Amino acid sequence: MATRNRSLLFRKYRDAWKSVRIPASSSASSAATKSSGGGPVIEMVSASLPHPNRSYTPLSTEDPGNSSKGAVTVGLPPAWVDVSEEIAANVQRARTKMAELAKAHAKALMPSFGDGKEDQRIIESLTHEITNLLRKSEKRLQKLSASGPSEDSNVRKNVQRQLATDLQNLSMELRKKQSTYLKRLRQQTEGQDGVDLEMNINGNRSYAENDDLDDMIFSEHQMAKLKQNEALTVEREREIQQVVESVNELAQIMKDLSVLVIDQGTIVDRIDYNIQNVATTVEEGLKQLQKAERTQKQGGMVMCATVLVIMCFVMLVLLILKEIIF
Amino acid sequence: MVLVSAVRDYVYRMLQDISGMKVLILDSQTVSIVSVVYSQSELLQKEVFLVELIDSISKSKESMSHLKAVYFLRPTSENIQYMRRQLSNPRFGEYHLFFSNMLKDTQIHLLADSDEQEVVQQVQEFYADFIAVDPYHFTLNMPSNHYYILPAVVDPSNLQHFCDRAVDGIGAVFLALKRRPIIRYSRASDIAKRIAHETALMYQQESGLFDFRRMEMSPLLLIVDRRDDPVTPLLNQWTYQAMVHELIGIQDNKVDLRSIGKFPKDQQEVVLSSEQDAFFKANMYENFGDIGMNIKRMVDDFQQVAKSNQNIQTIEDMAKFVDNYPEYRKMHGNVSKHVTLVTEMSKIVEERKLMLVSETEQDLACNGGQVAAFEAVTNLLNNESVSDIDRLRLVMLYALRYEKESPVQLMQLFNKLASRSAKYKPGLVQFLLKQAGADKRIGDLYGNRDFLNIARNMARGLKGVENVYTQHQPLLFQTMESIIKGRLRDVDYPYVGNHFQQGRPQEVVIFIVGGTTYEESRSVAQLNASNSGIRFILGGTAVLNSKRFLKDLEEAQGIARSNANVV
C-alpha cells in the first residue's frame, strides 16, 4: 500500500517559519505589541520559558543548539503509571516463571531413579510464586480504577482493561499447564500403584494362605512394601490436592478479572461505541457534579457548620471580654 | 479481504513504530473508517489507551504529556484549523500526524507555522479514506448524498464537495491497492462523467505519487450512476445482510435495535461483521428460510453445551467449565444476537405483509404482463394492512416498468396512491421518472431491449425459478458479466482520455454514484467466489435501502422545487 511521508517538507517549512519568528521576538518591536499587547520584555520571557500551564516538570531532551523556546518533550507521568508499570513487570516475570515451570513439569514426568521430591518441591514453589504474582497483580489492578469522568480516568480504565486481559490469559495458560500435568501425573500414579496393588493383593492372599512357613520373611517384606506404597500414595494425594487448590484459586482470579475484560466481537469492542459512551458519561458526570454542588451549597450541613463556627467566635469574644472586665 | 486488510495494515503501521502509551485522535469520518476494521481490544494491545474525537479533545485543558498523540484525520480545512489550535497549545508529549488523503502545500505551511513548540514528529499521508464494510465492498458514507440527482446549476458548491469527496475516496482505494486504473464512465450520466474526468485530472497532477509498476493489464475503474438501476434499492430483500439493512438498518456494520423496540442493555446495539462473526460470514448471503434453519441448529448446539455446563459434579468438570467459560459466553452472546435479529425481522414481515408485497414487487421487476401487474398493484393498494411506504414502492416499480405502456392506468394508480397515503405525494414518482425513466437509462434494466436478453428471459420463464422472492438480479450483474466476456460497449461506457484496453482487465472497481445496495455487494461476492479470473470491488457514496433512496429523492425534489420557485 502506498504512503507518502511529508515530514521533510513539514520540517523545512517549520524551520523557515522559525527563522522568520526568531528575529521578530528578539527585537522590541511591533511584533510583540501585536501579539500579546504587553511589553516586549514579557513577550521574550514567555517565549523562552516552557509553557506555564504544564503541571509536570518538563524534561528537555533537545540538544541545546535548538532555540530556547518550547523544548518540551515527554514529561513525567502521573503516579498511577508506576502502578501499571509494576503490574506489567509482574506479568513479565510470571511469564518467564511459567516457562521454567513447563520445564520442571516435563522433568518431573520423566521416569527417574531418584525420589522425585526435589522436582516436586521446585514445581510447588514455582506454582506458588506464579499464583502469588498473579494475585498481587490483580489486587494492584483494582487500585487503578479512578473515579470521576475525566480523560485521565478513561486512560486508566483502558490500561486496566489491557492488563486484565493479559492476567486472564496468563491464568488460563497456567491452569491448562497444571491440568495437563495433573492428568499425566494421575496416569503415571495409577500405573505404578496398580502394579503395586496387584502385588499387594497377591501377597495378602498368599499371606493368608501360607500361615506358618514364610510368615516372618514375607510379612516384613510386605510391610515394607505396604509402607512404601502408602507413603507414595499419600504424597501423590497431597500433590494432587495442592494442584487442585491452585486451580480453584486461579478460577477465582479469572472470575474477578472477567468483569474487567472486554468480550471480543461485541458492541463494547467497537471504538465508535466507546467514544459515544465516553461523551455521554462525561456529560452525565458533569450534570451529577453540578447537582451535587448545588445540593452541597444549599445543604443543611454547610449552614450548621457556619452557624457553629460563628457561635465559637462569639463565645471566644465573650470569654475575652469577661477576662478583661474582671 | 482486500479492502479490510488494506485499512488494517495502514492502522497497524501508524501505531507500530511508536512506543509507549498513546492516544488516538480521530475525526467523525475516520472514526467510522477505523471502527469497522480495528477493535478496541486490538487497540489496547497496541498500547492505545485513549481514543478521542478531535472536536471534543479541544475542549479539555488537561495536560497529559506522558502520552504520545497519534492523529488520523481527513485533510479538510476544518481539521487543519483544529490542529493549528492544538499545536499552539500542545497537551501531549509527541504529535504524530497522519492524513487520510493528499495534503495541499498550503495546509502543510499552516501546520508548520503553528508548531512553535516543535512537538510534531512526523506528518504522513496514509490513504485509508474509505469505509471497508466488507472485503470487496466499500462506502464513503456521505451525509448529503442527494446532490447527485440535481443538475450542476442548482447548487454548484455542494456538488463540488460531493465530487471532491468521491474523487478522494476513489483515489484512496487505488493508492491502497497500489494500482493506476483506466477510467470508463456511464455515458448518460453527467455526474459520472464529471467524477471520471476529475479523477483523471487528479492522476495527471499527482503523477509522481501514482507511479506504480505497470502490470500488463491496468485495472478498470467504472463509474456508473444509481439512476441507471433505480429498481434494486426499491425492492424488499430476503437475504440476511440485505434484509437486516432493509428492515432495520445497518450503519458501519452496526445495527441499532433501539428504534424498533425495547431490549436489554447488551442487545440494544449489535455488530454484524463478517470478519468477526463466523456464523454471519457463513450466512450473510443466504435467504431467510435457510437462515431460520441454520439458527435453529446453532441454538440446539448451544443448548447442548449449556446443559453439559450445568452438570458439574467433580473438580475436573469445574476446571473444564472455567476453561471454557469465555468461549461459552461468546457463543451465548452470538446466539442471542442472531435470534433477536431474526425474531424482530419476522415480526416486521408479519406486520407489513411483506411476503405478499414482495411477490408482486419481484413480478414487476422481473416478469412481464402489464395487465396482471396492474391488477396486482391495484389490489395491494386497496389492502388496508399495506403500509404507506410499501404502496409508494409498488407504484414506483410499476411506473418504472410500464410508464410508456398505458398512461391512463398509471394515472389511476397515482390517484389511488394520493387518496390513500397522506404523507407521500405522487409528485415523487413523477420526479423519479424524470430522473431515471426509460429515456435516461442506458443498459437493459428489464431485459427487453436486447434480443439476447429477451430470449434469456423467455427461457427463464419457461424453466421456472427456484425462489420467487430472490429471482431479481441487479443490473450490475449484467454489467459485470459483460466485463468478464470483454463485451462492455464503448458506446455506452466511453473511456476517459485516449486510453484503450485490449482484452479483459484483472481487477475492476465499480463505483456507483448515489449509493450501492447489499444486494449488489452480494452479486459481487458471489461472482468473485466463482473464479472467473477477474476480481471485482464495489463502492459507492452510501449504502442504500429503500428508506434512504426515497429520502434522497425527496430531498432532491425539495431543493429542485425551491430552486424553480426562486427562478
Side-chain angles (χ1 to χ4, degrees), chain A residues 174-188:
Chain A
L174 179 62
R175 288 197 37 263
K176 255 191 211 113
K177 282 204 167 71
Q178 278 191 325
S179 50
T180 37
Y181 173 64
L182 194 59
K183 228 183 290 173
R184 282 155 79 181
L185 199 64
R186 276 228 185 93
Q187 281 175 357
Q188 274 194 356

Side-chain angles (χ1 to χ4, degrees), chain A residues 1-11 13-15 17-18 21 50-51 53-56 62 66-67 69-78 80-81 84 150-156 158-162 165-166 168-169 172 175-176 179 183 186 241 244 247-248 250-251 254 258-259 261-278, chain B residues 6 9-10 13 21 26 31 34-36 38-41 43-45 49-53 57 60 62-68 88-94 102-105 108-109 111-113 115-127 175-176 178 206 209 212 251-254 265-266 269-271 276 315-316 318-320 322-323 325-326 329-330 337:
Chain A
M1 350 147 282
T3 62
R4 187 159 68 168
N5 197 338
R6 307 289 239 150
S7 313
L8 241 60
L9 192 61
F10 178 82
R11 274 190 216 118
Y13 287 152
R14 185 169 68 190
D15 292 338
W17 275 110
K18 208 169 36 176
R21 240 181 273 127
H51 201 273
N53 278 349
R54 293 208 172 275
S55 48
Y56 315 116
E62 302 245 354
N66 280 353
S67 76
K69 74 171 115 166
V72 190
T73 48
V74 185
L76 285 177
W80 58 263
V81 173
S84 78
S150 67
E151 272 176 357
D152 192 49
S153 70
N154 280 336
V155 181
R156 287 163 85 148
N158 283 330
V159 173
Q160 211 184 18
R161 270 191 190 152
Q162 191 238 340
T165 324
D166 279 344
Q168 195 182 57
N169 287 343
M172 285 211 307
R175 288 197 37 263
K176 255 191 211 113
S179 50
K183 228 183 290 173
R186 276 228 185 93
Q241 196 59 33
V244 163
V247 163
N248 287 344
L250 284 174
M254 255 192 62
S258 69
V259 185
V261 170
I262 308 177
D263 279 325
Q264 293 193 355
T266 59
I267 188 73
V268 188
D269 204 14
R270 287 274 298 213
I271 301 172
D272 40 10
Y273 178 78
N274 280 317
I275 288 187
Q276 277 171 9
N277 256 14
V278 164
Chain B
D9 276 342
Y10 275 131
R13 277 172 53 168
M21 302 209 285
L26 307 166
V31 122
V34 175
S35 304
V36 293
Y38 236 72
S39 66
Q40 180 84 1
S41 45
L43 276 191
L44 289 181
Q45 291 295 339
F49 292 125
L50 188 60
V51 182
E52 288 277 337
L53 287 179
I57 210 171
S60 166
E62 260 180 85
S63 173
M64 302 172 114
S65 54
H66 54 284
L67 294 177
K68 300 186 187 167
S88 46
N89 272 337
R91 291 176 56 201
F92 303 106
E94 286 180 14
M102 299 180 273
L103 284 166
K104 302 203 238 322
D105 253 8
I108 305 184
H109 262 291
L111 287 176
D113 174 28
D115 185 19
E116 296 181 21
Q117 318 236 8
E118 303 203 0
V119 286
V120 173
Q121 309 292 320
Q122 52 176 325
V123 177
Q124 301 234 22
E125 294 172 358
F126 273 19
Y127 302 105
L175 282 167
K178 273 184 112 153
E206 297 273 353
L209 180 58
F212 304 120
Q251 174 77 346
D252 297 341
N253 287 347
K254 279 190 307 181
K265 186 98 200 298
D266 60 340
E269 267 192 274
V270 292
V271 176
Q276 295 175 337
I315 291 190
E316 255 184 23
M318 199 161 89
K320 223 190 304 175
V322 176
D323 256 338
Y325 186 62
R329 209 157 89 149
K330 197 167 166 195
K337 171 174 78 177

Side-chain angles (χ1 to χ4, degrees), chain B residues 144-176:
Chain B
S144 38
N145 190 29
H146 50 278
Y147 285 107
Y148 77 97
I149 302 179
L150 300 166
V153 292
V154 172
D155 194 341
S157 66
N158 273 328
L159 192 61
Q160 186 59 46
H161 277 163
F162 181 88
C163 293
D164 286 343
R165 181 68 182 97
V167 171
D168 281 348
I170 295 174
V173 170
F174 279 104
L175 282 167

Side-chain angles (χ1 to χ4, degrees), chain B residues 70-339:
Chain B
V70 176
Y71 281 78
F72 180 45
L73 309 169
R74 291 208 70 237
T76 62
S77 48
E78 216 183 23
N79 285 341
I80 300 284
Q81 285 307 319
Y82 278 129
M83 275 313 312
R84 295 195 66 196
R85 248 178 281 153
Q86 297 198 11
L87 284 178
S88 46
N89 272 337
R91 291 176 56 201
F92 303 106
E94 286 180 14
Y95 282 70
H96 302 260
L97 308 182
F98 296 91
F99 289 95
S100 64
N101 220 304
M102 299 180 273
L103 284 166
K104 302 203 238 322
D105 253 8
T106 48
Q107 292 175 318
I108 305 184
H109 262 291
L110 286 173
L111 287 176
D113 174 28
S114 46
D115 185 19
E116 296 181 21
Q117 318 236 8
E118 303 203 0
V119 286
V120 173
Q121 309 292 320
Q122 52 176 325
V123 177
Q124 301 234 22
E125 294 172 358
F126 273 19
Y127 302 105
D129 207 7
F130 50 90
I131 300 176
V133 283
D134 277 326
Y136 298 105
H137 184 201
F138 70 90
T139 175
L140 299 179
N141 244 359
M142 287 208 230
S144 38
N145 190 29
H146 50 278
Y147 285 107
Y148 77 97
I149 302 179
L150 300 166
V153 292
V154 172
D155 194 341
S157 66
N158 273 328
L159 192 61
Q160 186 59 46
H161 277 163
F162 181 88
C163 293
D164 286 343
R165 181 68 182 97
V167 171
D168 281 348
I170 295 174
V173 170
F174 279 104
L175 282 167
L177 299 176
K178 273 184 112 153
R179 307 294 298 281
R180 178 173 171 163
I182 290 184
I183 308 176
R184 293 174 76 167
Y185 60 94
S186 161
R187 172 186 49 86
S189 165
D190 284 332
I191 190 163
K193 179 170 175 180
R194 179 170 171 167
I195 291 181
H197 281 285
E198 289 190 9
T199 312
L201 193 62
M202 173 190 77
Y203 279 123
Q204 273 177 5
Q205 286 176 341
E206 297 273 353
S207 54
L209 180 58
F210 293 100
D211 205 9
F212 304 120
R213 195 182 89 237
R214 291 289 180 100
M215 316 259 292
E216 289 143 13
M217 268 278 128
S218 292
L220 173 65
L221 167 65
L222 181 63
I223 304 182
V224 294
D225 193 323
R226 177 78 265 159
R227 292 171 285 181
D228 270 344
D229 180 8
V231 171
T232 312
L234 287 174
L235 289 175
N236 194 41
Q237 302 296 328
W238 295 96
T239 59
Y240 199 15
Q241 187 185 37
M243 192 172 176
V244 174
H245 187 45
E246 173 67 34
L247 299 183
I248 308 175
I250 304 183
Q251 174 77 346
D252 297 341
N253 287 347
K254 279 190 307 181
V255 182
D256 191 354
L257 292 170
R258 285 175 290 199
S259 51
I260 56 173
K262 292 222 123 321
F263 293 97
K265 186 98 200 298
D266 60 340
Q267 294 290 330
Q268 280 177 358
E269 267 192 274
V270 292
V271 176
L272 272 189
S273 160
S274 60
E275 302 295 309
Q276 295 175 337
D277 185 344
F279 179 81
F280 184 65
K281 186 168 183 168
N283 285 288
M284 58 200 273
Y285 300 130
E286 298 294 322
N287 66 47
F288 201 39
D290 292 337
I291 299 166
M293 285 199 327
N294 290 342
I295 286 190
K296 179 168 179 314
R297 210 175 303 145
M298 185 169 73
V299 170
D300 285 338
D301 287 339
F302 177 69
Q303 274 181 344
Q304 276 200 356
V305 173
K307 217 173 291 179
S308 73
N309 272 345
Q310 285 173 357
N311 195 16
I312 297 181
Q313 287 178 344
T314 70
I315 291 190
E316 255 184 23
D317 283 348
M318 199 161 89
K320 223 190 304 175
F321 172 73
V322 176
D323 256 338
N324 297 336
Y325 186 62
E327 288 284 320
Y328 172 79
R329 209 157 89 149
K330 197 167 166 195
M331 214 175 150
H332 176 81
N334 218 22
V335 167
S336 6
K337 171 174 78 177
H338 289 289
V339 167

Side-chain angles (χ1 to χ4, degrees), chain B residues 11 13 22 44 47-48 115 122 155 254 260 270 307 315 328 335 351 368 375 383 404 429 438 498 502 539 554 560 565:
Chain B
V11 178
R13 277 172 53 168
K22 301 180 265 286
L44 289 181
E47 292 189 288
V48 175
D115 185 19
Q122 52 176 325
D155 194 341
K254 279 190 307 181
I260 56 173
V270 292
K307 217 173 291 179
I315 291 190
Y328 172 79
V335 167
E351 263 175 52
E375 263 191 57
N383 191 334
K404 302 278 168 75
V429 189
N498 51 5
Q502 322 260 58
E554 269 183 59
N565 286 343

